[in-house]
């Protein structure tokens, strides 16, 4: 048996096993420059204290938001090839409950057995897929919440494969007939992942297979008629028949990253995290759509009809897939994430708005179909705010917030194009 | 001293200690460098405010902890400008063994142990940093110690 003194000694000794090579100040400065390029001056302070979180984990921030009250969102239409440098204006954002009341509801934060719910995505305007977690991020059950009946239905268990330690279910995908997910062991260095499906009407989960090595660097998954597909971090899409078998590469998918099956995207060379998507490929038909950036942008990210990017000089650039109809919204910043089939997750410029006196949104959603902007949650008077995004593999329709027995959920699948 | 100089001075004087802290938190050099660089970049952006109101070292350590436990799920690591090689051996074989076991703990459990036994923080403060209850801290620590086969002695004092 070891003692706590052994632990103290080991931690202290372990700390000495890393050797600084110098250059930390330069590395930090480089990172700050990159951050400044991403966020324009008016937002830097607020954003600096945001703990941004990938996936579904609740993002909590404690910042001292800067403030203001000024006009609404200014829209500038720009012609392709010349995105003007924008003067940041303060965004006037209304809470989503006012903008799209049909998309907001509350639901229990936990199942009757105490397992906590984490929304995955909306599978219809009135149904939300959920995972139930026995402990932090330990998803063990798939359920569906019906916003009309205000009831949940269990789809089935999400079991850990036998003999695998430290197993965590990752993202869930919605297919025509099945739900699918993959799991990894994120806390060890093994390159390993496995894939599962379960019938949408409910039943027992079936393991489709497991992979190791680079194939296990799963980025996103998708479902076809008869196979589970996934892309890996270095690019390339692979498939595994639902009936079992060996993984094989999807033809023509070299260097591509799955968006939402059958679509995959490729990136132009650039700085990591800043790259522009430059092609969108239908992996079933092989049809390739070039995605020309309209002007000087980074993070160009496209959904089915629209693309978003961070305009040089600040602002959210919205354009058609072919670069047409480019519009600059100077009071919004792009988070780099598309929600559902068309929405962008955006950061509104707050100026000097005081959250104790007025509504300030920590994050907002932009709908290119209607031009509406809806704020998610609110920054509390002490400057804190938290929210989470759904954990689906394809772009989620969900953001959620709130503490206590009820959580507030926004399901963009309920938002119409009018 | 202007703000920039002050911040640079902070990075110079505390950088190595923070890097070691990142290494204890995460258990590997790349993550340690990533954590310390990201947390310092955020501190730099918030410097004037933090300098006035809080203790910058506490701010940056808390940021590192939160980044570490919230970002493991799917890490989108930025390019690391400066890579830090690991070196060094434990004097005792048992310590190397314990270090290896620590690597296998879930990040949250490991973090609780680091805050308690490396940072020597009381459970209430750990709870505040992690945004959980004191009871959760205690149970996570107890489970972690059990996993590591460490006899609990100090717990009652906390």
């Amino acid at each position: 048996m070891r003692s706590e003194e052994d632990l103290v000694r080991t931690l202290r000794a372990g700390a000495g096993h890393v050797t600084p090579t110098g250059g930390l100040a330069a590395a930090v400065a480089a990172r700050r420059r990159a951050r400044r390029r991403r966020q324009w001056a008016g937002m830097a302070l607020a954003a600096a204290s945001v703990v941004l979180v990938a996936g579904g984990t609740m993002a909590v921030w404690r910042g001292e938001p800067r403030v203001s009250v000024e006009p609404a969102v200014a829209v500038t239409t720009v012609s392709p090839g010349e995105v003007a440098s924008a003067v940041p204006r303060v965004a006037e954002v209304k809470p989503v409950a006012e903008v799209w009341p049909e998309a907001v509801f509350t639901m229990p934060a936990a199942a009757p057995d105490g397992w906590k719910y984490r929304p995955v995505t909306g599978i219809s305007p009135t149904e939300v897929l959920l995972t139930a977690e026995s402990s932090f991020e330990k998803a063990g059950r798939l359920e569906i919440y019906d916003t009309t009946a205000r009831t949940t239905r269990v789809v089935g268990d999400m079991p850990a494969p036998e003999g695998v330690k430290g197993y965590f279910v990752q993202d869930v995908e919605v297919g025509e007939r099945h739900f699918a997910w993959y799991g990894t062991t994120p806390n060890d260095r093994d390159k390993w992942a496995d894939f599962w499906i379960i019938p949408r009407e409910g039943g027992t989960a079936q393991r489709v297979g497991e992979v190791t090595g680079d194939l296990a660097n799963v980025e996103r998954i998708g479902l076809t008629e008869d196979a589970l597909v996934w892309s890996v971090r270095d690019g390339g899409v692979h498939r595994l028949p639902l009936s079992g078998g060996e993984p094989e590469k999807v033809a023509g998918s070299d260097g591509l990253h799955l968006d939402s099956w059958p679509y995959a995207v490729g990136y132009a060379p650039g700085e990591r995290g800043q790259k522009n998507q430059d092609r969108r490929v239908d992996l079933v038909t092989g049809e390739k759509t070039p995605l020309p950036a309209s002007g000087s942008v980074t993070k160009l990210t496209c959904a089915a009809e629209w693309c978003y990017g961070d305009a040089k000089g600040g602002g959210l650039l919205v354009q058609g897939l072919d670069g047409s109809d480019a519009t600059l919204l100077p009071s919004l910043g792009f988070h780099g994430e598309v929600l559902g089939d068309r929405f962008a997750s955006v950061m509104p410029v707050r100026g000097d708005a005081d959250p104790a006196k007025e509504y300030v949104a920590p994050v907002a959603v932009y709908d290119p179909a209607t031009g509406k902007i809806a704020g998610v949650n609110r920054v509390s008077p002490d400057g804190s705010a938290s929210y989470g995004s759904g954990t689906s593999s394809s772009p989620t329709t969900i953001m959620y917030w709130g503490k206590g027995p009820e959580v507030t959920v926004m399901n963009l699948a309920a938002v119409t194009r009018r | 001293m202007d703000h920039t100089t002050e911040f640079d001075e902070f990075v110079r004087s505390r950088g190595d200690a923070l890097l070691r802290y990142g290494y204890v938190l995460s258990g590997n050099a790349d993550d340690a460098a990533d954590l310390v660089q990201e947390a310092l970049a955020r501190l730099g952006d918030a410097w004037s405010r933090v300098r006035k109101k809080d203790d910058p070292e506490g701010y940056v350590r808390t940021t590192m902890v939160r980044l570490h436990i919230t970002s493991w799920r799917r890490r989108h690591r930025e390019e690391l400008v400066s890579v830090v090689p690991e070196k060094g051996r434990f004097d005792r074989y048992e310590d190397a063994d314990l270090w290896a076991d620590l690597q296998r703990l879930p990040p949250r459990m490991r973090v609780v142990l680091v805050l308690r036994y490396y940072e020597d923080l009381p459970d209430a403060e750990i709870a505040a940093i992690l945004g959980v209850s004191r009871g959760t801290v205690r149970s996570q620590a107890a489970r972690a110690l059990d996993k590591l086969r460490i006899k609990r002695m100090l717990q009652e004092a906390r």
Side-chain angles (χ1 to χ4, degrees), chain A residues 374-414:
Chain A
V376 168
N377 198 9
R378 65 182 307 143
V379 176
S380 67
D382 71 359
S384 65
S386 68
Y387 60 91
S389 306
T391 55
S392 56
S393 178
S394 285
T396 184
T397 67
I398 297 285
M399 290 183 104
Y400 59 96
W401 59 95
K403 281 184 179 164
E406 295 256 295
V407 57
T408 305
V409 179
M410 170 190 71
N411 178 14
L412 295 170

Side-chain angles (χ1 to χ4, degrees), chain A residues 301-312:
Chain A
T301 305
C302 299
E305 300 158 62
W306 285 279
C307 301
Y308 301 101
D310 245 343
K312 190 181 178 188

Side-chain angles (χ1 to χ4, degrees), chain B:
Chain B
M1 211 185 313
D2 68 24
H3 283 162
T4 316
T5 322
E6 223 176 51
F7 173 67
D8 289 347
E9 181 54 37
F10 177 83
V11 173
R12 255 192 303 280
S13 63
R14 301 305 305 150
D16 290 359
L18 291 169
L19 183 71
R20 286 196 290 275
Y21 181 49
Y23 187 62
V24 179
L25 278 177
S26 64
N28 79 77
D30 283 348
D31 282 349
D34 192 27
L35 281 176
V36 73
Q37 288 175 23
E38 183 62 25
L40 282 172
R42 289 175 188 213
L43 173 68
D45 290 350
W47 180 258
S48 56
R49 174 173 58 84
V50 175
R51 191 81 192 87
K52 248 185 284 161
K53 288 181 63 179
D54 307 303
D55 133 53
E57 176 117 9
Y59 175 97
V60 80
R61 285 182 182 242
T62 299
T63 305
M64 286 169 73
V65 167
R66 290 186 180 163
L67 280 171
H68 181 55
I69 57 171
T70 50
S71 60
W72 64 272
R73 198 167 185 275
R74 257 192 326 193
R75 192 171 255 298
H76 298 287
R77 184 184 288 148
E78 294 199 24
E79 213 77 64
L80 293 176
V81 183
S82 137
V83 176
V84 187
E86 287 160 65
K87 66 133 205 188
R89 290 243 163 83
F90 287 93
D91 293 339
R92 309 179 187 205
Y93 172 76
E94 311 89 78
D95 290 358
D97 207 30
L98 177 51
W99 182 259
D101 285 349
L102 274 162
Q103 302 280 75
R104 288 188 274 274
L105 286 183
R108 220 162 237 262
M109 274 191 195
R110 181 187 172 109
V111 161
V112 167
L113 293 188
V114 169
L115 293 177
R116 206 196 239 192
Y117 295 97
Y118 181 77
E119 292 283 272
D120 204 24
L121 297 180
D123 286 356
E125 209 169 311
I126 300 173
I129 290 174
L130 299 179
V132 298
S133 72
R134 218 171 127 180
T136 304
V137 170
R138 204 175 293 143
S139 66
Q140 289 260 326
R143 278 173 57 205
L145 292 174
D146 288 348
K147 273 177 186 263
L148 297 174
R149 289 174 286 110
I150 292 173
K151 200 170 169 194
R152 282 179 259 154
M153 302 284 282
L154 303 175
Q155 196 196 354
E156 292 314 308
R158 285 172 183 270

Side-chain angles (χ1 to χ4, degrees), chain A residues 29-336:
Chain A
R31 225 174 248 235
R32 291 181 68 196
R33 278 196 301 277
R35 292 165 67 80
R36 273 198 294 274
R37 278 199 295 275
R38 291 198 293 268
Q39 308 148 350
W40 57 93
M43 305 198 45
L45 206 148
S49 53
V50 174
V51 179
L52 261 186
V53 171
T57 309
M58 287 288 247
V60 180
W61 79 21
R62 288 179 205 298
E64 206 177 8
R66 313 218 338 214
V67 204
S68 165
V69 220
E70 252 180 88
V73 172
V75 177
T76 314
T77 305
V78 290
S79 54
E82 46 156 327
V83 173
S85 148
V87 181
R89 302 252 191 105
V90 174
E92 185 182 289
V93 178
K94 290 191 177 129
V96 62
E98 284 177 31
V99 180
W100 298 312
E102 68 281 13
V104 182
F105 60 93
T106 57
M107 59 166 285
D113 62 2
W115 285 25
K116 285 193 180 139
Y117 286 136
R118 190 184 291 278
V120 175
T121 193
I123 54 173
S124 77
T126 59
E127 290 170 299
V128 176
L129 188 64
L130 313 164
T131 53
E133 300 179 350
S134 58
S135 60
F136 182 69
E137 294 201 338
K138 193 85 183 168
R141 199 167 60 221
L142 208 53
E143 301 194 13
I144 292 169
Y145 182 73
D146 184 320
T147 60
T148 319
R150 298 186 68 82
T151 53
T152 47
R153 162 171 85 81
V154 173
V155 180
D157 287 337
M158 308 173 100
E162 245 172 76
V164 179
K165 276 191 180 172
Y167 180 81
F168 282 85
V169 166
Q170 298 292 335
D171 300 338
V172 182
E173 177 69 359
V174 179
E176 294 278 319
R177 289 178 296 127
H178 296 97
F179 298 121
W181 64 89
Y182 71 99
T184 63
T185 52
N187 302 317
D188 62 30
R189 292 176 184 210
D190 295 347
K191 286 184 176 178
W192 178 92
D194 73 349
F195 304 103
W196 296 75
I197 52 167
I198 194 167
R200 280 181 68 141
E201 64 272 18
T204 307
Q206 175 202 329
R207 191 150 95 128
V208 180
E210 61 183 305
V211 287
T212 56
D214 291 343
L215 282 184
N217 288 331
V218 182
E219 194 179 45
R220 270 192 168 158
I221 60 170
L223 277 168
T224 76
E225 281 274 288
D226 58 357
L228 191 145
V229 293
W230 73 99
S231 61
V232 296
R233 262 171 250 147
D234 289 339
V237 182
H238 304 265
R239 71 192 295 277
L240 197 55
L242 295 183
S243 54
E246 291 301 311
E248 55 188 43
K249 189 147 186 192
V250 174
S253 72
D254 276 350
L256 296 181
H257 303 264
L258 205 56
D259 176 37
S260 187
W261 180 265
Y263 297 102
V265 294
Y267 289 85
E271 206 177 315
R272 192 189 280 194
Q274 303 294 305
K275 289 178 191 172
N276 288 335
Q277 293 182 357
D278 68 352
R279 58 199 189 277
R280 188 173 167 89
V281 181
D282 181 331
L283 290 172
V284 172
T285 63
E287 188 190 352
K288 194 166 147 184
T289 309
L291 305 169
S294 176
S296 192
V297 289
T298 53
K299 290 197 281 194
L300 191 76
T301 305
C302 299
E305 300 158 62
W306 285 279
C307 301
Y308 301 101
D310 245 343
K312 190 181 178 188
L316 171 75
L317 176 89
V318 187
Q319 65 167 58
L321 289 189
D322 59 0
S324 60
D325 302 326
T327 301
L328 182 68
L329 295 124
S331 64
L332 301 176
F334 183 42
H335 261 313

